[in-house]
């Protein structure tokens, strides 16, 4: 289809809103620009689908993800936005509402809206609990209605406070697609009652993610971090300049056996991935002029705190292919030998990423990322996940993947789909969550099978929105991604597993701490 035909199709669409048409037209315009200069070898790997630039544009003019220091903004105000420092909760909520419209990302919407309890607690004066609830509820509704993108992400916790508790209460009541939400859990700080509330929320609306806060804190240190978009962890006051991903399945297809893959094929395509990372980040930092923006001038972001994300996906298919080539019928997620091979691949990837300098990185390094897939992926499993429809018992599922989590510093996630009977036994969700975190999970995420609001790769959709999307469209920008994913990938084949009172001792027996 010609460019003119594509644009005419967008303009005349009966299901896209005017703002959505503008967004899609802008993407087509970006695609007109010549691709930045890369080697023929990199271009070949990209064209073969072995490495992927995540459709960030042929010449990136904004980082993939931006994490402003909103606390500094609220404290200092903004010359560019002509705003005084916030003095009370109303000022703070208004100031945040304004700046969100000026924070870019690959989605054209902010993917990080802050550690909201830390941001807002200093501005609570004499408001009653009812006042706080009403103001935050209006704020939450505003976010979903004016920034209707499921990659917008808020963080709360690990401390127990009225903002954290109220946001959890509101999110369970409203069951909105946006914003996405992560609760930071720290067993030394967070009371069990707060974790119970977060797990009850999962039963109600499949949110929040529950992050292993000490693991993240150790990775990023005192300058801090945020969890953004799906589940991506990045330096605060920085972000990700680009995300390039490596298709392990496609790479494994090039290998003759396991040794060939480990010693030659994988290192080769890692270098191709780094080549594309360097080209994309160099253009952004040196030619796009993004780092002349007010966000830099007002010290809300620091160019040195941006890092490229080295993403991988298709671990399951890669392992199964390599074992098949060696004559084995073992399957990833189902056997110790297959899981051991996967872990050795993760460890090699970590070694390569840790020891390869990049020009524009976090301490001159990229960050390894278990990439959650995109809606057009077919016959390949996101990140290191176990293929949908083949998931084992939840505890065995966790044990199969836990050892990987320490290596994926910029984010890793699985989605445990739990049968709706969990709603009669929410403490089993608490037990499972605590066990996963104690075994090394960086982040615990679950869907409840009967919920309308569910996760696709890490972002949220409503199944009811997807059902009527083709006829009516959707005011939420990401519904079309969920619709495409439900048709082209296996997200609807996830196996719901039952957690019952009788199984709780079973979890304890498998060395999951309660």
């Amino acid at each position: 289809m010609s460019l003119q035909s594509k644009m005419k199709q967008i303009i005349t669409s009966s299901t896209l809103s005017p703002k959505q048409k503008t967004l899609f037209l802008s993407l087509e315009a970006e695609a007109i620009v010549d691709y930045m200069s890369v080697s023929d070898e990199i271009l070949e790997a990209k064209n073969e689908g072995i490495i992927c630039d995540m459709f960030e544009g042929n010449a990136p003019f904004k980082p993939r993800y931006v994490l402003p220091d909103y606390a500094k903004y609220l404290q200092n105000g903004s010359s560019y936005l002509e705003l005084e420092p916030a003095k009370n909760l109303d000022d703070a909520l208004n100031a945040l509402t304004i700046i969100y419209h000026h924070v870019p990302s690959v989605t054209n919407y902010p993917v990080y809206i802050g550690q909201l309890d830390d941001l807002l607690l200093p501005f609570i004066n004499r408001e009653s609990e009812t006042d706080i609830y009403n103001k935050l509820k209006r704020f939450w509704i505003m976010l979903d209605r004016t920034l209707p993108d499921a990659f917008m992400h808020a963080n709360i916790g690990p401390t127990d406070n009225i903002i954290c508790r109220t946001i959890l209460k509101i999110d369970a009541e409203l069951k909105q697609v946006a914003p996405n939400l992560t609760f930071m859990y720290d067993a030394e700080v967070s009371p069990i009652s707060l974790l119970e509330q977060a797990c009850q929320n999962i039963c109600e609306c499949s949110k929040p993610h529950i992050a292993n806060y000490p693991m993240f804190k150790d990775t990023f240190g005192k300058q801090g971090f945020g969890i953004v978009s799906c589940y991506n962890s990045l330096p605060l006051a920085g972000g990700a300049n680009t995300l390039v991903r490596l298709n392990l399945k496609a790479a494994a297809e090039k290998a003759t056996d396991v040794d060939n893959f480990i010693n030659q094929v994988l290192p080769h395509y890692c270098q191709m991935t780094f080549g594309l990372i360097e080209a994309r980040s160099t253009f952004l930092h040196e030619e796009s002029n993004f780092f002349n923006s007010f966000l830099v001038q007002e010290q809300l972001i620091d160019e040195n705190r941006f890092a490229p994300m080295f993403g991988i996906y298709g671990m399951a298919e890669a392992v199964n292919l390599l074992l098949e080539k060696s004559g084995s019928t073992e399957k990833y997620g189902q056997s110790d030998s297959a899981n051991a091979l996967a872990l050795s691949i993760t460890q090699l990837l970590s070694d390569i990423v840790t020891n390869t300098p990049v020009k524009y990185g976090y301490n001159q390094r990229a960050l390894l990322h278990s990439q959650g897939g995109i809606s057009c992926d077919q016959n390949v499993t996101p990140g290191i996940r176990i293929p949908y429809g083949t998931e084992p018992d939840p505890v065995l599922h966790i044990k199969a993947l836990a050892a990987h989590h320490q290596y994926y510093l910029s984010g890793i996630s699985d989605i445990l789909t739990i049968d709706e009977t969990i709603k009669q036994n929410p403490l089993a969700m608490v037990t499972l969550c605590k066990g996963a975190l104690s075994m090394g999970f960086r982040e615990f995420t679950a869907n409840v099978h009967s919920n309308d609001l569910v996760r696709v790769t890490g972002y949220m959709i409503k199944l009811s929105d997807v059902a009527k999307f083709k006829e009516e469209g959707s005011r939420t920008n990401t519904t079309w991604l969920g619709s495409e994913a439900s048709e082209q990938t296996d997200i609807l084949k996830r196996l719901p597993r039952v957690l019952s009172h009788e199984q709780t001792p079973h979890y304890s027996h498998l060395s999951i701490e309660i």
Side-chain angles (χ1 to χ4, degrees):
M1 183 184 295
S2 70
L3 177 62
Q4 289 83 357
S5 297
K6 287 182 182 179
M7 290 188 165
K8 183 68 174 294
Q9 189 178 65
I10 293 168
I11 289 168
T12 58
S13 171
S14 62
T15 56
L16 294 175
S17 71
K19 290 185 75 68
Q20 289 168 340
K21 289 179 181 181
T22 300
L23 174 59
F24 279 95
L25 288 170
S26 72
L27 295 175
E28 293 298 333
E30 287 184 56
I32 297 174
V33 180
D34 290 339
Y35 205 88
M36 66 202 67
S37 179
V38 295
S39 70
D40 291 342
E41 201 170 20
I42 291 173
L43 193 60
E44 181 181 3
K46 179 177 175 294
N47 291 338
E48 287 186 303
I50 302 173
I51 60 175
C52 170
D53 66 6
M54 297 291 293
F55 305 102
E56 288 180 356
N58 291 355
F61 62 93
K62 57 196 174 184
R64 183 173 184 84
Y65 302 129
V66 179
L67 288 74
D69 185 341
Y70 293 119
K72 180 178 289 186
Y73 163 71
L74 293 178
Q75 181 180 6
N76 297 342
S78 170
S79 174
Y80 180 81
L81 297 176
E82 302 180 57
L83 291 172
E84 296 294 323
K87 296 181 177 64
N88 54 47
L89 183 58
D90 289 328
D91 285 348
L93 292 173
N94 184 57
L96 290 174
T97 300
I98 291 169
I99 196 172
Y100 293 155
H101 290 273
H102 298 271
V103 178
S105 77
V106 68
T107 70
N108 291 298
Y109 287 85
V111 295
Y112 178 66
I113 60 173
Q115 184 77 30
L116 289 178
D117 44 4
D118 286 352
L119 291 175
L120 297 177
L121 281 170
F123 299 99
I124 291 178
N125 297 318
R126 292 183 296 274
E127 288 92 352
S128 66
E129 288 189 20
T130 299
D131 287 340
I132 291 169
Y133 169 83
N134 288 333
K135 290 177 181 183
L136 287 177
K137 186 171 183 179
R138 286 193 291 270
F139 179 67
W140 218 242
I141 292 170
M142 178 281 300
L143 290 172
D144 181 73
R145 306 308 192 269
T146 66
L147 300 168
D149 188 277
F151 298 111
M152 176 177 58
H153 203 128
N155 298 173
I156 53 175
T159 62
D160 189 4
N161 61 77
I162 191 169
I163 298 294
C164 180
R165 292 271 189 176
T166 304
I167 285 175
L168 286 172
K169 178 180 179 180
I170 290 168
D171 204 44
E173 289 175 357
L174 295 178
K175 297 178 174 60
Q176 297 177 167
V177 166
N180 207 338
L181 184 65
T182 289
F183 166 61
M184 309 286 187
Y185 176 70
D186 183 344
E188 299 297 320
V189 176
S190 313
I192 189 63
S193 63
L194 186 56
L195 179 62
E196 288 173 356
Q197 184 176 353
C199 288
Q200 180 65 53
N201 269 44
I202 293 174
C203 293
E204 291 294 320
C205 62
S206 303
K207 287 193 282 181
H209 294 288
I210 299 178
N212 193 337
Y213 181 74
M215 285 186 74
F216 289 102
K217 186 178 179 181
D218 289 346
T219 296
F220 292 100
K222 64 180 181 179
Q223 287 184 280
F225 69 97
I227 296 179
V228 313
S229 187
C230 284
Y231 52 84
N232 310 331
S233 48
L234 292 163
L236 184 65
N241 41 31
T242 189
L243 193 171
V244 177
R245 62 179 190 159
L246 171 59
N247 184 340
L248 297 179
K249 174 189 177 183
E253 289 172 343
K254 298 283 187 179
T256 56
D257 53 33
V258 172
D259 287 342
N260 177 243
F261 179 79
I262 293 292
N263 296 316
Q264 298 181 38
V265 173
L266 185 58
H268 170 73
Y269 285 112
C270 282
Q271 293 312 306
M272 297 299 99
T273 305
F274 276 113
L276 190 53
I277 282 173
E278 292 284 26
R280 298 190 64 79
S281 57
T282 296
F283 184 92
L284 174 71
H285 286 260
E286 297 182 7
E287 297 190 53
S288 75
N289 284 302
F290 171 81
F291 289 99
N292 296 328
S293 73
F294 86 96
L295 294 170
V296 176
Q297 293 166 1
E298 298 185 5
Q299 299 181 348
L300 303 181
I301 60 173
D302 179 346
E303 186 174 7
N304 293 321
R305 290 184 62 75
F306 280 80
M309 298 168 71
F310 187 112
I312 60 94
Y313 69 116
M315 175 70 82
E317 288 77 15
V319 168
N320 291 345
L321 275 169
L322 292 171
L323 289 174
E324 184 180 328
K325 290 181 180 186
S326 66
S328 172
T329 59
E330 302 292 317
K331 295 296 182 183
Y332 178 72
Q334 311 295 327
S335 77
D336 290 342
S337 60
N339 295 343
L341 174 57
L343 184 59
S344 69
I345 293 171
T346 282
Q347 290 168 335
L348 175 58
L349 287 163
S350 179
D351 287 344
I352 291 172
V353 172
T354 300
N355 292 300
T356 303
V358 295
K359 187 173 184 180
Y360 296 102
Y362 182 60
N363 299 321
Q364 288 74 56
R365 294 296 187 272
L367 297 173
L368 187 60
H369 181 67
S370 179
Q371 200 277 319
I374 54 180
S375 60
C376 59
D377 288 344
Q378 292 183 302
N379 302 315
V380 59
T381 303
I384 67 156
R385 293 179 184 171
I386 297 171
Y388 304 140
T390 70
E391 302 96 331
D393 168 274
V395 174
L396 297 179
H397 193 149
I398 289 167
K399 289 173 73 94
L401 301 180
H404 292 265
H405 279 234
Q406 62 185 302
Y407 300 103
Y408 292 91
L409 302 185
S410 64
I412 179 171
S413 174
D414 208 296
I415 300 173
L416 297 169
T417 301
I418 308 300
D419 186 81
E420 63 184 325
T421 52
I422 191 67
K423 295 184 178 184
Q424 282 74 56
N425 182 25
L427 288 181
M429 186 76 81
V430 178
T431 300
L432 191 66
C433 174
K434 288 195 69 176
L437 299 181
S438 72
M439 292 182 68
F441 256 48
R442 189 171 288 270
E443 188 166 79
F444 175 84
T445 305
N447 276 339
V448 175
H449 187 59
S450 62
N451 286 349
D452 186 32
L453 190 64
V454 299
R455 294 193 182 277
V456 179
T457 57
Y459 67 93
M460 311 299 299
I461 59 168
K462 286 185 176 180
L463 295 176
S464 58
D465 287 345
V466 170
K468 60 188 179 182
F469 172 71
K470 288 189 176 180
E471 288 72 33
E472 301 178 17
S474 174
R475 66 170 182 81
T476 303
N477 289 345
T478 35
T479 301
W480 74 273
L481 291 174
S483 176
E484 187 175 62
S486 65
E487 292 178 356
Q488 299 196 34
T489 71
D490 292 330
I491 62 166
L492 299 182
K493 295 181 180 178
R494 291 171 176 149
L495 287 179
R497 275 73 57 84
V498 175
L499 300 180
S500 66
H501 289 289
E502 290 75 18
Q503 288 177 297
T504 303
H506 172 57
Y507 299 147
S508 180
H509 177 69
L510 285 173
S511 303
I512 288 187
E513 297 177 9
I514 300 176

